[in-house]
Amino acid sequence: QLQVLESGGGLVQAGESLRLTCTVSGLSELGLNFDDYAMGWFRQAPEKEREGVSCINWSGGRANYADSVKGRFTISRDNDNNTLYLEMTNLKPEDTATYYCAAAPSNGLECDSEADYYDYWGQGTQVTVSS
């Protein structure tokens, strides 16, 4: 069974930075590799719907961002270590949410920012930005 685990959340002040990390395990038991998957970051604030933050294709060569985070967040992946990152800079109070990492089997050129595209999800990590 594929397992997805996020870490790196915390409480920061507006303008500060955080790096979220997502590790995927269970791949070898399934005969799969991390680069068989497109990866995405999503977030959900209280009383709001889950929204796509960023996604990255299997190779790391293509990424997409929500307009609200463009220029501030950077997604990247380390396929040798089954790890996904989200570097968040200039954080704003409106970035406060639970952040989720998700994996979707894909070898396509593009990734998808829709939650329905992803099959495997982590439990989330809380990011709180104070003003």
Side-chain angles (χ1 to χ4, degrees), residues 20-77:
L20 303 184
T21 300
C22 170
T23 56
V24 178
S25 59
L27 290 162
S28 58
E29 291 85 343
L30 297 172
L32 297 169
N33 299 307
F34 188 57
D35 61 9
D36 288 321
Y37 294 85
M39 300 295 297
W41 285 103
F42 294 80
R43 67 186 182 187
Q44 188 166 18
E47 301 182 357
K48 292 190 176 181
E49 292 191 357
R50 186 172 298 190
E51 65 169 337
V53 174
S54 181
C55 67
I56 190 167
N57 77 341
W58 66 274
S59 69
R62 291 283 184 98
N64 293 320
Y65 297 92
D67 288 342
S68 59
V69 306
K70 279 180 182 176
R72 300 189 298 122
F73 291 11
T74 303
I75 192 171
S76 62
R77 63 189 296 161

Side-chain angles (χ1 to χ4, degrees), residues 35-129:
D35 61 9
D36 288 321
Y37 294 85
M39 300 295 297
W41 285 103
F42 294 80
R43 67 186 182 187
Q44 188 166 18
E47 301 182 357
K48 292 190 176 181
E49 292 191 357
R50 186 172 298 190
E51 65 169 337
V53 174
S54 181
C55 67
I56 190 167
N57 77 341
W58 66 274
S59 69
R62 291 283 184 98
N64 293 320
Y65 297 92
D67 288 342
S68 59
V69 306
K70 279 180 182 176
R72 300 189 298 122
F73 291 11
T74 303
I75 192 171
S76 62
R77 63 189 296 161
D78 178 351
N79 284 346
D80 290 334
N81 292 292
N82 301 350
T83 304
L84 177 74
Y85 301 101
L86 185 69
E87 191 75 40
M88 305 185 294
T89 64
N90 191 22
L91 281 160
K92 303 176 180 181
E94 51 263 43
D95 294 318
T96 296
T98 301
Y99 284 71
Y100 298 90
C101 173
S106 172
N107 59 2
L109 185 61
E110 300 289 344
C111 58
D112 197 302
S113 298
E114 294 295 324
D116 289 346
Y117 180 73
Y118 293 84
D119 295 332
Y120 303 97
W121 292 80
Q123 294 299 307
T125 185
Q126 178 67 36
V127 173
T128 303
V129 184

